[in-house]
Amino acid sequence: MSERDEELLRLYRAPPREAPPPPLDAAILAASRRPARARGLPRWAAGLSVAAVLVLALGLVLKVQREAPDAGMPVESRATAPAAAPAPSADASAPESRSLPPQKPAKVESRRVAPKRPAPRTEEPAVMAAPAAAPVPAPAPPAVAASSASAHDEKATAADAARANAAPPARAMQRSLAVDPLQRELERIARLREEGKDDEADTALATFKRAHPDYRIEPTMLERVRRR
Amino acid sequence: MSVSDEELMLAYARGDAAAFETLYGRHRAPLFGFVLRSARTRGEAEELFQDIWMRAIEARMRYQPTARFTTWLYTIAHNRLVDHWRAKGLSLVSLDAHDDDDGPAIDPPAPPSAEPHEVVLAARSRDRLVAAIGALPLAQREAFLLHAEGGLSVAEIAQATGSNVEAAKSRLRYAMNKLHEAIDE
């Protein structure tokens, strides 16, 4: 920048600079304050939102962890869990593999889930033993009747879960018959009904209801055993 | 020791409204002069001036002090002016092109006389200089105003206008020469 250039700039800058009108200044300054004030809220709200999301997510995870073993696991999974947990080898699952060959994908899943499960419930060993001992002698009805209503409900739930697990209906029925002698009795009554022996079926059903007043008959089975 | 423009802008981005007021007080007059000499009318200049500051306010969170605040502010001003000229339908020639010829980078808004020295002949005062500035090709005028009003160096002019240093230097040199010629006559 030469001396001549400096002179030219001095000439240009000599008079007082023109300024924007005061209303324009006021408008710009007012606008500058608005977003500056508004900024505080989103930052505060963002922090609160993050905290709320974390709390909800944590609660959801805990809830899922508490409920997952009961709600999400099919009957077969429960059955294999105790065997797979101590020694997740091919030998450990071999018996079930033989008894339920088409269920392999479900088994893989059950092995994956099994280690996370809490201790197996008391009725599970009985359920587990059932497939291996196909012609299980039915326990005496009074003994079954002595068990609590909730136990019956849990068995019914297990049977439901087995059906929902996309097993073929015949296989599911066979499994439920094996695990629950009461189901076998109901199946017998249903067969009587199908054969037209309604009187005999009525008598058997009445006897069954007297012996097991708390037993919850599944809707599909109920449809089959009652008089049409 | 006064707080730098960059620190003030960062403080404003953090929510300090007073920092913006200080910043605005420092730059309002030079920026207004720059816009006033770049626009056709005072009304237009006021509208552009407000838009530029609004853009700066909106962009405060993205501000990074990698360059002087002045360069950042005048970059916004340049972009707003380019938008303005385009909206006016003025034919735009690449601002990166070297202005080695006397042709305008952007068609000027039809001054009464195309050449600065012809304008200066009408009177002999600072008004003549201002008139000569108005008759400069837009890119040259912008380079001169960025230097004279904003105090930007050649490199900063290049940065603010999105051109290269050689082009900015050439534009400023041509502008100065033309204004000297206009005054000397």
Side-chain angles (χ1 to χ4, degrees):
Chain A
M1 198 59 57
S2 68
E3 183 60 32
R4 284 183 73 217
D5 292 340
E6 295 295 336
E7 278 180 25
L8 188 133
L9 289 172
R10 274 197 293 274
L11 177 64
Y12 176 76
R13 293 167 179 159
R17 277 172 160 156
E18 290 182 72
L24 191 54
D25 287 339
I28 291 167
L29 289 174
S32 77
R33 277 182 228 111
R34 274 198 298 271
R37 271 205 306 270
R39 262 186 65 255
L41 185 59
R43 194 176 269 186
W44 167 81
L48 186 67
S49 302
V50 169
V53 166
L54 285 176
V55 167
L56 287 173
L58 186 64
L60 191 63
V61 166
L62 290 174
K63 184 176 169 60
V64 166
Q65 279 183 343
R66 273 199 305 270
E67 293 182 357
D70 289 339
M73 190 175 291
V75 170
E76 300 93 310
S77 303
R78 292 198 217 173
T80 55
S89 64
D91 290 340
S93 60
E96 190 176 79
S97 298
R98 282 193 298 273
S99 63
L100 295 169
Q103 298 292 324
K104 277 184 181 173
K107 269 198 319 181
V108 170
E109 188 181 4
S110 72
R111 270 191 225 111
R112 218 182 307 132
V113 178
K116 295 179 185 174
R117 297 189 60 243
R121 290 185 297 186
T122 51
E123 70 268 27
E124 285 178 350
V127 174
M128 197 169 49
V136 177
V144 176
S147 62
S148 68
S150 63
H152 289 306
D153 287 347
E154 284 177 13
K155 284 179 183 174
T157 305
D160 289 344
R163 264 198 313 283
N165 200 31
R171 183 185 303 280
M173 182 59 70
Q174 190 178 10
R175 204 177 304 136
S176 64
L177 290 177
V179 301
D180 191 347
L182 301 184
Q183 283 287 336
R184 284 204 306 179
E185 174 63 11
L186 288 171
E187 182 62 29
R188 189 182 71 80
I189 298 170
R191 224 176 291 121
L192 289 172
R193 194 72 76 190
E194 286 165 7
E195 291 166 2
K197 301 173 181 174
D198 284 333
D199 292 341
E200 199 175 338
D202 288 344
T203 306
L205 185 59
T207 305
F208 182 91
K209 284 181 175 175
R210 271 198 304 278
H212 315 292
D214 295 329
Y215 190 85
R216 186 170 65 84
I217 302 174
E218 298 164 25
T220 49
M221 181 57 82
L222 187 63
E223 189 64 29
R224 292 177 62 201
V225 297
R226 74 180 177 190
R227 186 188 277 273
R228 296 171 189 128
Chain B
M1 187 175 170
S2 64
V3 181
S4 71
D5 291 346
E6 293 72 33
E7 288 171 324
L8 287 171
M9 190 60 196
L10 289 172
Y12 175 56
R14 289 192 299 268
D16 184 356
F20 181 84
E21 290 181 22
T22 306
L23 209 49
Y24 182 74
R26 287 181 188 176
H27 293 278
R28 61 188 272 278
L31 183 64
F32 189 71
F34 169 76
V35 177
L36 196 61
R37 303 276 169 260
S38 302
R40 289 190 193 189
T41 66
R42 189 178 180 90
E44 222 171 58
E46 289 179 3
E47 186 185 331
L48 288 166
F49 178 76
Q50 186 171 9
D51 280 357
I52 291 163
W53 281 110
M54 290 302 167
R55 287 188 181 191
I57 289 168
E58 288 166 9
R60 70 201 179 285
M61 301 302 290
R62 298 189 296 275
Y63 173 73
Q64 296 289 329
T66 52
R68 279 207 307 152
F69 168 79
T70 309
T71 308
W72 182 75
L73 180 64
Y74 281 88
T75 301
I76 294 174
H78 164 78
N79 292 336
R80 181 65 188 89
L81 283 170
V82 169
D83 289 347
H84 172 71
W85 292 326
R86 281 187 177 136
K88 292 285 178 186
L90 297 173
S91 61
L92 189 70
V93 178
S94 170
L95 292 176
D96 288 334
H98 288 255
D99 297 331
D100 292 338
D101 58 347
D102 287 347
I106 300 173
D107 287 348
S113 176
E115 290 298 316
H117 68 275
E118 292 175 15
V119 177
V120 173
L121 284 175
R124 293 186 181 280
S125 67
R126 183 180 173 276
D127 290 344
R128 276 181 257 158
L129 175 60
V130 171
I133 292 167
L136 286 171
L138 279 185
Q140 293 176 19
R141 188 202 310 170
E142 186 181 42
F144 173 78
L145 290 173
L146 286 171
H147 179 66
E149 294 283 5
L152 270 62
S153 67
V154 169
E156 289 171 334
I157 292 170
Q159 190 177 346
T161 58
S163 61
N164 58 59
V165 173
E166 284 305 311
K169 188 176 181 180
S170 173
R171 286 169 188 164
L172 184 59
R173 175 49 41 208
Y174 272 88
M176 291 297 237
N177 287 344
K178 285 180 182 177
L179 294 176
H180 280 304
E181 286 173 19
I183 291 169
D184 290 344
E185 280 185 9

